[in-house]
Amino acid sequence: MTEQVEIERRSLLLDEVEAGRGIRDGMTVALGGFITSSHPMALVRQIIRNGVRDLTVIGAASSGLDVDLLIGAGCVRKIISPYVGAETLAPIGPFFRAAAERGEIEVWEIDEALFYVGLRAAAQLLPFLPWRGLVGTSYPEVNPDLKIFRDPIKGETLIAVPAITPDVTLIHAAAADVYGNVQHHGTGFGDRALHLASDRTIVEVERVIPNQEVRKDPLKTSLWEVDAVVRAPFGAHPYSSPGFHVEDREHVREYVAAAQAYTRMGDHGPFRAYLERYVLEPATHADYLERVGIKRLLTLYEY
Amino acid sequence: MRSTDDAIATEYTTPELVAAFIANDLEDGIGVMVGANLPIPRAGVLLAHLTHGPNMRVTLSMTRTNLFHEPAMEPFEFSTDFRAAKWAESYFIHNQLIDDIKRSSMRDVFFIGGLQIDRYGNANLIGIGADYGHLKMRGPGGVGTGDKGCHCKRYYLYINNHDRRVLVEKCDFVTAFGWGDGGADARRKLGIPGGGPRYCITPLCIFDFHEETKHMRIKSLHPGVTLEQVLDQTGFAPIVPARIEITLPPTAEQIRILRERIDREGILRRTS
């Protein structure tokens, strides 16, 4: 008797705890979203909970306090991002500033355009791509990996931008089917570029949708062939999720105050309390949402 | 461009004056980014758009649109505010910013700020300090200002606080290359396209750049500001021309449009 082997299309659905196991010490991890929107916070909190260390974090082209939280939690060795902050809520990430000033993290200084050129080089399996912008600035001085060179065609002065390759990219999106077809509401920011440059991509979504729903409007599919899909409604909280909810300013202010008490006054108490309450104690994303509370979440449920 | 004989507003704030100055300098047909957390340039851009720029393309909150027929704008505090999508004619998919360099170099106008701006209009957002490895103050990072400054028709340097720590002899680091070490050919020598910085706009005055040396020069003082005040609060010696203009006050019509359609919350009317 031979056993029947079922041949079937594979579901990529994982929970955040299972997905988090793929992120280990020393990896290069890219985070999607943009400033105060669409960061994969359910996965970010899982990384911190797992005690992962020595990460090289590729923030979004304008990254937010997702990156700052990872620095504060002690997970980061190196940052690759053109900006870390939250606009009016925090012009600059408190932990990013303090850790950079104290030499506790390395900063791979980059401008938005160079950042995307480096990601494109990775997606095209090239060692580098040329770019003209930023010639004459300090970028090649403070980041020696950016090489000034003379192009072989016209002899013009350009910058060779090395490929920027994440081991794993973490994204927050509106919806996906279980086969890894992902849809964003709105623009998707720079998430496509991060995914295409990356060895692996894990996407947390507000809703898991049927494959038939994807087929209704394939133009909406922003990422395809991602490696894992995680169901995480409100997974971007306290940042916004286009089409679902606005940012939780009050929560972000609480985080910023706690981070600033730590970095400016050396008072570790508020940040320690924040980390325990919202990251370390809740075992899962659902437990986190219970901590935030349904009443608070529902006040954000608009766009 | 407005004619100077329009009725002058009887009362206005400095931010409204600056917004009107910006509006007067922006021509129809350009593409311009409306920064989320730069309320004064945002108001200036929209004022130009609504008064004499029906064919401008404005980019705000990751969307491209035309607001000429919109009765009023709400402020979007964050550059990701999805509610702006109600006006979108196209989406600004962020990673595509490296794909339309040709078009933006021809058409776009931009605003660039800095922790430091030097006498030749170079700007620094990296941080303050002599040694990059040991910064006295780490800045937020250059975002996309350096590339945009290279690849746009022209740009404006804009600062909210006019003081010696910001307006310095020489930037510690350069995130956006203005006129380098000076000279009208500073950009051409390096093959940098784009018109470079046109003015430096502050709460006290407008600076322009000397045609040959590209050294910053006082163009106009805002009403009520003295030359001494500007010289005292500037960390380098700007060129002082024989005749200094007064920044043109806004017209009654500009103030009406600002307050009724662009800045209904009165962000520009708050005196700090």
Side-chain angles (χ1 to χ4, degrees):
Chain A
M1 286 291 286
T2 53
E3 218 178 305
Q4 284 285 317
V5 178
E6 199 189 4
I7 297 179
E8 189 43 87
R9 194 176 182 187
R10 191 176 58 234
S11 165
L12 301 170
L13 205 57
L14 298 178
D15 66 31
E16 69 279 9
V17 177
E18 294 163 329
R21 290 188 192 124
I23 297 141
R24 292 179 299 277
D25 290 8
M27 277 188 165
T28 298
V29 179
L31 304 175
F34 202 80
I35 313 184
T36 57
S37 185
S38 305
H39 300 303
M41 295 306 294
L43 294 165
V44 166
R45 285 183 283 264
Q46 187 62 37
I47 292 173
I48 297 170
R49 223 173 276 136
N50 290 352
V52 180
R53 290 287 176 270
D54 292 321
L55 294 175
T56 293
V57 174
I58 300 174
S62 279
S63 61
L65 302 179
D66 52 333
V67 170
D68 204 65
L69 175 65
L70 282 168
I71 297 170
C75 307
V76 180
R77 186 179 64 81
K78 181 176 171 184
I79 291 288
I80 298 176
S81 178
Y83 171 87
V84 180
E87 292 180 339
T88 47
L89 295 171
I92 174 169
F95 282 115
F96 169 72
R97 164 170 276 175
E101 286 171 0
R102 293 167 194 166
E104 290 160 4
I105 55 166
E106 192 187 328
V107 180
W108 202 75
E109 202 72 52
I110 193 89
D111 168 282
E112 280 180 352
L114 298 177
F115 179 79
Y116 287 127
V117 170
L119 291 170
R120 181 171 290 178
Q124 296 182 342
L125 293 177
L126 290 168
F128 80 95
L129 277 171
W131 196 250
R132 186 194 311 281
L134 293 310
V135 168
T137 67
S138 301
Y139 285 93
E141 289 161 37
V142 299
N143 183 348
D145 292 343
L146 303 168
K147 310 288 186 197
I148 299 277
F149 76 113
R150 200 164 279 281
D151 92 84
I153 306 295
K154 286 185 162 180
E156 294 178 357
T157 303
L158 302 175
I159 296 177
V161 187
I164 298 171
T165 310
D167 294 316
V168 60
T169 288
L170 310 178
I171 300 279
H172 178 91
D177 66 7
V178 297
Y179 306 125
N181 294 300
V182 179
Q183 298 184 343
H184 282 81
H185 277 331
T187 67
F189 306 113
D191 290 359
R192 292 170 184 80
L194 292 169
H195 166 57
L196 294 174
S198 188
D199 291 354
R200 295 177 62 247
T201 302
I202 303 171
V203 183
E204 56 164 71
V205 292
E206 297 283 351
R207 298 168 63 216
V208 176
I209 56 175
N211 177 253
Q212 292 85 334
E213 189 70 22
V214 172
R215 292 176 185 231
K216 275 186 196 168
D217 191 1
L219 265 181
K220 272 199 76 175
T221 301
S222 44
L223 316 175
W224 65 96
E225 284 175 10
V226 304
D227 299 274
V229 173
V230 176
R231 185 188 289 114
F234 281 102
H237 184 274
Y239 308 106
S240 68
S241 181
F244 292 91
H245 63 86
V246 296
E247 52 284 297
D248 186 342
R249 290 163 201 233
E250 212 176 311
H251 185 108
V252 178
R253 285 196 192 99
E254 183 187 345
Y255 168 81
V256 170
Q260 286 177 344
Y262 188 113
T263 58
R264 291 181 182 179
M265 279 85 82
D267 177 4
H268 298 193
F271 181 67
R272 174 50 50 187
Y274 177 92
L275 214 51
E276 278 170 8
R277 177 166 168 71
Y278 291 116
V279 183
L280 301 175
E281 288 170 4
T284 65
H285 176 56
D287 292 319
Y288 167 81
L289 294 181
E290 290 214 318
R291 287 281 167 107
V292 175
I294 191 73
K295 285 181 180 168
R296 168 73 70 86
L297 292 171
L298 291 183
T299 62
L300 311 171
Y301 207 59
E302 59 168 283
Y303 70 89
Chain B
M1 303 301 273
R2 64 179 254 209
S3 60
T4 51
D5 57 4
D6 291 338
I8 295 296
T10 48
E11 57 96 25
Y12 53 86
T13 63
T14 297
E16 287 175 324
L17 169 94
V18 171
F21 171 84
I22 289 169
N24 295 340
D25 207 62
L26 298 177
E27 69 277 21
D28 191 20
I30 55 173
V32 64
M33 178 93 67
V34 182
N37 51 352
L38 282 177
I40 297 168
R42 168 189 178 273
V45 165
L46 293 174
L47 184 58
H49 185 32
L50 299 185
T51 53
H52 59 265
N55 305 293
M56 279 175 149
R57 179 232 319 140
V58 296
T59 301
L60 81 161
S61 292
M62 320 310 277
T63 68
R64 297 185 199 91
T65 185
N66 183 305
L67 300 169
F68 188 69
H69 293 293
E70 287 301 322
M73 329 289 158
E74 61 256 56
F76 291 120
E77 188 180 344
F78 302 116
S79 49
T80 56
D81 196 321
F82 190 58
R83 289 168 290 192
K86 67 182 176 187
W87 293 322
E89 291 179 353
S90 65
Y91 275 148
F92 172 31
I93 294 174
H94 198 252
N95 48 274
Q96 292 177 350
L97 67 85
I98 56 174
D99 296 331
D100 64 351
I101 294 297
K102 180 177 180 173
R103 184 159 291 276
S104 63
S105 297
M106 291 190 293
R107 198 174 166 188
D108 285 14
V109 167
F110 202 62
F111 294 84
I112 292 180
L115 299 167
Q116 294 177 322
I117 290 172
D118 68 25
R119 64 165 56 192
Y120 295 118
N122 304 298
N124 168 22
L125 282 164
I126 287 175
I128 311 287
D131 174 7
Y132 179 73
H134 301 89
L135 292 172
K136 282 196 294 223
M137 185 181 85
R138 169 70 219 195
V143 205
T145 57
D147 190 76
K148 201 71 188 169
C150 168
H151 291 125
C152 69
K153 187 175 175 180
R154 66 173 187 273
Y155 65 90
Y156 298 85
L157 293 161
Y158 173 84
I159 50 174
N160 277 324
N161 46 345
H162 186 134
D163 76 48
R164 289 172 163 268
R165 281 167 312 177
V166 178
L167 291 161
V168 296
E169 189 73 40
K170 198 165 174 47
C171 287
D172 292 337
F173 305 95
V174 175
T175 46
F177 183 95
W179 297 107
D181 296 324
D185 62 348
R187 294 171 70 84
R188 201 169 29 84
K189 266 193 317 206
L190 292 173
I192 301 172
R198 175 168 157 93
Y199 296 134
C200 176
I201 300 166
T202 90
L204 297 182
C205 70
I206 309 294
F207 293 104
D208 61 3
F209 296 89
H210 186 277
E211 293 71 15
E212 269 105 57
T213 64
K214 292 298 173 183
H215 196 304
M216 219 182 269
R217 173 175 66 190
I218 299 175
K219 173 181 157 49
S220 70
L221 300 171
H222 300 336
V225 175
T226 67
L227 175 61
E228 289 66 36
Q229 235 178 312
V230 169
L231 295 178
D232 188 53
Q233 294 186 46
T234 304
F236 56 85
I239 297 175
V240 181
R243 199 186 139 274
I244 302 180
E245 306 163 38
I246 304 292
T247 309
L248 192 64
T251 65
E253 180 64 2
Q254 284 179 314
I255 290 296
R256 187 187 67 76
I257 292 173
L258 273 177
R259 294 182 184 182
E260 290 178 12
R261 293 180 68 189
I262 294 168
D263 179 35
R264 286 149 59 107
E265 302 69 29
I267 293 166
L268 273 61
R269 297 197 286 286
R270 286 175 208 155
T271 44
S272 47

